[in-house]
Amino acid sequence: MEIRNVVTVGQLNSYIKNMFTQDYLLQRIFVKGEVSNCKYHSSGHIYFTLKDSRGTISCVMFAGSRSGLSFRMSEGQQVIVGGTVDVYERDGKYQLYAKQIMLDGSGQLYERFEMLKRELEESGMFAREYKQPIPRFIRTLGVVTADTGAAVRDIIQVAGRRNPYVQIILYPAIVQGEAAVGSIVRGIRALEALGVDVMIVGRGGGSIEDLWAFNEREVAQAVFDCYVPIISAVGHETDTTIIDFVSDLRAPTPSAAAELAVTDIREVLGELEGRKDALARLMQRRIQEKRMKARQMELKLKAASPASRIRERKMAALSAEERLQERMRRILDRRRHELAIYIERMKGLSPLEKLSSGYSYVEDQAGRNVRSVRQVREGQDITIRVKDGRIQARTTGILPLPGRPGELC
């Protein structure tokens, strides 16, 4: 017996995989069934089995596709899984590679959600340039949510703890059912008219049907048109609604929304205390600088003032006066010394000094100095001046010196 067209196992699996790949239906398919053997792997992948009364199929959702899952999967859930059916060549098994998973009954809603999301995104309502900043310090906080339930209690509790001075204004809206859309829109517009600083719009968790009011166009348009910054806080962290994309900021929970809207007053007081200390240090440093500058200006002013110049002139005059007096004293001392020398010299020439030494001065009757015997005759009256007086005498004889006639000793 001749055997033809023999292939290997790998070739067969590759051929079958190629057939799956070429089938357009299998590349984008939605399968409904019950979740079984669901396991969340540490790598982030989710492995589970989808079954119904007629069969089962292995499924896997890789970590990179987890954005297509808005709830936590559990045993027995009825779901609709969208993805691709393909063959794992190594094991020769086919499985469903999930891209998105929805709870059964919400598939049509999800399609409406995606359609409205694309439409609003294309119109620019999700654009970043339309997002308003959330003010750091507010006085009034508006809240559009049900007046009963955990959401409003969490918001009041968190906001009151962070800053008890912030006024919270609640608009008790209907957040589920047919009347929810109109109630939420009226709440947004009412709080906008009151002029609150920031607004929180949201509710607690629930199914996609429970949260659907926040996916309606009217609510999204009211959020977009509101001039008051809005924080969306719908459901839990894994829940996503249309207003999360339209609002100015999305919070994962109502409690987180209150934390984002209300600044912790303790942080503010601590910051103010730090700025106060910094300002005090700066003022002290500036005061010291100004004082030093004032002292410098005072010294400059004193140096430039008329009184200072007068004092300088007085000091200069006193110094000049002292120098002049000293110079005059030196001149007088020198003159006194010279005069003393002249006096001594004159004493040597003075007749009175000679008289004090035992000499006498002779005058005739006319007062002329008699210096020779030829100037007198016998019997002539003469005056002899001595140290302590005058002597009146009369000549009785004239005796010339030998060899020197006419000279009188």
Side-chain angles (χ1 to χ4, degrees), residues 171-196:
Y171 184 92
I174 301 171
V175 295
Q176 185 175 337
E178 295 181 359
V181 173
S183 179
I184 295 170
V185 171
R186 288 192 297 273
I188 293 173
R189 291 173 179 170
L191 293 180
E192 180 182 19
L194 285 176
V196 297

Side-chain angles (χ1 to χ4, degrees), residues 187-221:
I188 293 173
R189 291 173 179 170
L191 293 180
E192 180 182 19
L194 285 176
V196 297
D197 297 319
V198 175
M199 197 183 306
I200 296 176
V201 178
R203 55 156 291 166
S207 65
I208 188 171
E209 291 86 359
D210 296 336
L211 308 180
W212 190 252
F214 299 92
N215 291 321
E216 293 288 358
R217 181 188 298 275
E218 292 86 349
V219 176
Q221 191 67 49

